[in-house]
Amino acid sequence: MDPRTLCFLSGCLLICVISAEIQERGRTPKAQGKKDIEAASSGEVKPSGASGRRKPKSEGKQKSLQKKIPVEAAAPSPLTTSILTQVVGRGRFQKVGDSLSLRAGEPLELRCRGKVVHWKVPTYLEEEGEGRLRIKHFNQHSRLQLVNSTGADTGEYSCWARDCQDAACTEGEDRQGRTFIFFTDPEELFVPTENYYEVVQLRSHQPVLLPCQVTNPLAQVTLHREFPPEEVPVDGTDISFDVKKGFTIHRPRASLAGSLFCLASLGGMRQISTKYMLIFIKYPSSSPKPTIQASATSVLLGENFSVTCTVLSEPEIAVDFTWQYPGQKLGRPPYVSERADVVHQEGQVQQEAGSTLYVEEARAGDAGIYTCRATNLQGTGTATTRVHVTQSPRVSPASS
């Protein structure tokens, strides 16, 4: 064959091979892209460690975001400032407010952040012990669970947390979280109590609480007298109502003594609470301040003498007296008389209460310190004096 012809045919063959390779390279990416799209649309996802496949950039970005988000990422951001939260679902937390309402029968789960956590729950649950209430402590938090809840579980739930490093806890770093939880019960408007009647002292010097707590914060509550039957006015000053506590009598007085009860209304339902038997007690403004005086500071053997203790106070305030005296060591019984008189001082009516200790035929063992203790509802006061017992009258030295 002619060399020029052979060269021409070789060139044509080379051109065909190059053209075919270019076309094949152009088709391959399109086919692979189509295959990837079909796999993504079918929902098929390979494990992140699958060999022969590189992770998409978007997948790498998602992983770094998850690292920055804490375990409780599903909860709103305010959770970071509150140590007490309610668990509302798996991995879901909700910040608790001043109060919370749940239906009786629903479970309750609270979480308190901190390494050393202490819980406080209604007394009713504390006395029940391990049963429906379960508390478990973890490294960074503590969990409280309550199952089969009832209206009686209504009350305040709180926790205290302290940050500790190993065994050392930092003083003054306590944090507290609290909430009042109503367990609403359509059949019980009042939190059940054990007693049908409860005696309450109306103390003249301090407020008094009638703890008729309700299970539903929407209930309308009024205060009533049993005999004669009438509603007691609540003005917010002398008497006020708190849905979490009950009625507080800020200014106790004798006219409120008697049998009172609370009445709750919600919808078409009405219920009465435990009945409270109020007893008025007039309290002193302070503890007694007794004064003491002996009939003689020095007596002869065989002479009689007395020691008197006196307390000035408000009228109708009971004062109890007790004595300590040297003759007790000799087995001598006390001979005491007491009195209470109304006196007028500086235009005021007051009560003067007194106790007198009598000692007959003084002995050497009757010499020493005499102590009077006066006690009222506010406390005790003490006064002392010394009595000397001599064998013969003191003789004054003759003047020179």
Side-chain angles (χ1 to χ4, degrees), residues 109-381:
E109 183 171 345
L110 299 175
R111 175 175 289 195
C112 188
R113 295 189 182 192
K115 291 186 177 181
V116 178
V117 175
H118 301 279
W119 291 91
K120 187 175 181 181
V121 299
T123 306
Y124 169 82
L125 284 173
E126 289 180 352
E127 296 175 351
E128 188 175 282
E130 289 292 334
R132 298 181 301 112
L133 179 68
R134 299 160 193 168
I135 295 176
K136 188 173 182 179
H137 301 287
F138 298 90
N139 185 35
Q140 297 292 337
H141 71 276
S142 180
R143 182 183 66 198
L144 179 148
Q145 291 179 314
L146 176 65
V147 296
N148 300 325
S149 61
T150 68
D153 301 329
T154 296
E156 184 176 271
Y157 292 74
S158 59
C159 69
W160 288 263
R162 178 178 294 181
D163 291 330
C164 300
Q165 300 294 334
D166 298 328
C169 295
T170 305
E171 293 293 337
E173 294 296 329
D174 291 3
R175 295 178 297 162
Q176 183 177 4
R178 64 175 60 189
T179 186
F180 193 96
I181 302 179
F182 296 92
F183 288 95
T184 60
D185 188 339
E187 298 181 359
E188 293 287 349
L189 295 182
F190 286 103
V191 176
T193 59
E194 295 181 356
N195 303 321
Y196 182 71
Y197 265 99
E198 184 174 336
V199 177
V200 177
Q201 292 184 356
L202 277 177
R203 304 180 181 186
S204 59
H205 72 302
Q206 66 184 32
V208 177
L209 176 66
L210 305 184
C212 45
Q213 292 180 328
V214 290
T215 63
N216 194 318
L218 300 179
Q220 299 295 319
V221 188
T222 51
L223 183 62
H224 297 260
R225 180 182 297 279
E226 188 173 17
F227 302 109
E230 61 182 1
E231 182 175 344
V232 178
V234 178
D235 58 4
T237 302
D238 291 343
I239 304 177
S240 64
F241 177 71
D242 187 332
V243 71
K244 300 177 185 176
K245 297 178 181 178
F247 287 97
T248 299
I249 301 175
H250 299 278
R251 300 176 183 175
R253 55 185 184 274
S255 60
L256 289 173
S259 179
L260 302 182
F261 63 89
C262 306
L263 175 65
S265 303
L266 184 63
M269 187 176 183
R270 302 177 72 192
Q271 281 186 350
I272 64 171
S273 69
T274 293
K275 293 184 179 179
Y276 302 97
M277 182 60 67
L278 275 61
I279 300 175
F280 182 75
I281 301 176
K282 187 174 179 60
Y283 263 62
S285 58
S286 62
S287 58
K289 297 176 177 58
T291 58
I292 192 169
Q293 184 174 9
S295 58
T297 58
S298 181
V299 299
L300 293 173
L301 284 172
E303 285 186 342
N304 299 336
F305 68 93
S306 63
V307 183
T308 301
C309 186
T310 305
V311 171
L312 199 63
S313 64
E314 300 98 329
E316 301 178 5
I317 295 297
V319 180
D320 295 324
F321 295 93
T322 57
W323 287 92
Q324 278 187 318
Y325 53 97
Q328 285 175 314
K329 298 178 181 179
L330 305 176
R332 301 187 65 149
Y335 295 96
V336 178
S337 68
E338 295 184 355
R339 61 181 177 82
D341 302 319
V342 175
V343 296
H344 297 268
Q345 286 194 357
E346 298 179 359
Q348 294 183 351
V349 177
Q350 292 185 305
Q351 174 183 268
E352 186 180 78
S355 176
T356 300
L357 174 68
Y358 297 94
V359 180
E360 297 180 348
E361 299 181 356
R363 307 175 189 177
D366 291 322
I369 296 177
Y370 287 74
T371 300
C372 161
R373 285 187 173 84
T375 303
N376 62 19
L377 293 173
Q378 285 282 36
T380 299

